[in-house]
Amino acid sequence: MRVIIGITGASGAIVGIKLLQNLNAEKYLIISENAKKIIEYETFYPLDYVKSLATKIYDNSSMNEDIASGTTKFDALVIAPCSTSTLSKIASGIADNLITRVASVALKEGRKIVLVPRETPLSPIVLENMLKLSKLGVVILPPVPAFYLKPKNIEDVVNYIVGKILDSLGAEHGLYEPYSPQ
Ligand SMILES: Cc1cc2nc3c(=O)[nH]c(=O)nc-3n(C[C@H](O)[C@H](O)[C@H](O)COP(=O)(O)O)c2cc1C
């Protein structure tokens, strides 16, 4: 499986990093400039370590790349976390950087897209954009905890969210235990 992973400048960079750590696939990684700052601010992981988790790294400002073309096959695009700015650009057909270009390619080619938007509360503009994308088959997967699984710490919450992303890709994992009624 070949998966393109975009990390954008929303809070929750750890979700993208943990996805890279747990996804067993060919991983093509694009990190936006804002995401680089947030990785540094929110996590203890050096940028070079994050990049080392990927099969191939792309520069978000470069359009002259294989994955900017529909002729390059990939199985899925996951943007985690996905800023509301990037989500709204995708919904509007704006392709002004490599992440949004790959998303527009994935949309036109009918490929799987999973977006992990982190924002709260959500404005009507963002909600409309989410609905528009959802109707086009895009999986909108906000990083919302499953409180009923009784997470003990943030790691449990992140594991659950990354597990849900992997579920939507059809990838095996042991990141969370399914709900079991007592
Ligand atoms: C510390 C910090 C946290 C941010 N958190 C969010 C967030 O959770 N959600 C969001 O949509 N934007 C957030 N932003 C704003 C985005 O980084 C900004 O809209 C940026 O233009 C997104 O660009 P990108 O999608 O190309 O990374 C945050 C910015 C900073 C500096």
Side-chain angles (χ1 to χ4, degrees):
M1 180 161 56
R2 179 183 289 170
V3 180
I4 301 182
I5 297 174
I7 302 182
T8 63
S11 185
I14 189 63
V15 174
I17 296 169
K18 197 128 207 169
L19 176 64
L20 284 162
Q21 289 171 331
N22 286 278
L23 175 61
N24 185 15
E26 209 177 322
K27 290 165 276 195
Y28 289 5
L29 176 63
I30 319 164
I31 306 176
S32 78
E33 284 310 307
N34 283 282
K36 288 177 189 170
K37 292 180 197 139
I38 292 179
I39 288 169
E40 191 183 345
Y41 181 69
E42 282 187 349
T43 81
F44 297 107
Y45 293 109
L47 191 57
D48 282 346
Y49 166 75
V50 177
K51 289 180 176 174
S52 76
L53 299 168
T55 314
K56 193 170 174 185
I57 309 290
Y58 291 86
D59 182 341
N60 195 32
S61 65
S62 172
M63 283 293 171
N64 191 22
E65 304 291 349
D66 51 2
I67 55 173
S69 162
T71 55
T72 300
K73 307 284 188 297
F74 57 88
D75 299 291
L77 165 69
V78 181
I79 306 182
C82 183
S83 75
T84 52
S85 170
T86 288
L87 181 143
S88 297
K89 284 186 199 172
I90 295 167
S92 307
I94 296 170
D96 63 343
N97 58 43
L98 191 58
I99 293 174
T100 50
R101 170 61 190 165
V102 170
S104 82
V105 168
L107 271 179
K108 83 180 170 77
E109 301 291 340
R111 296 188 189 140
K112 176 137 204 149
I113 303 177
V114 181
L115 303 182
V116 184
R118 198 235 67 96
E119 186 60 282
T120 197
L122 294 164
S123 73
I125 293 172
V126 171
L127 288 166
E128 280 181 6
N129 286 332
M130 285 182 176
L131 179 60
K132 188 174 174 182
L133 289 169
S134 176
K135 284 179 174 172
L136 294 170
V138 174
V139 177
I140 305 292
L141 199 155
V144 176
F147 295 101
Y148 57 89
L149 294 181
K150 300 196 170 86
K152 292 181 187 60
N153 48 43
I154 291 180
E155 190 178 8
D156 285 354
V157 172
V158 173
N159 281 344
Y160 168 73
I161 293 155
V162 173
K164 292 293 285 185
I165 298 170
L166 293 171
D167 289 344
S168 78
L169 297 177
E172 293 293 319
H173 67 84
L175 286 173
Y176 68 83
E177 290 294 322
Y179 174 62
S180 157
Q182 300 303 312

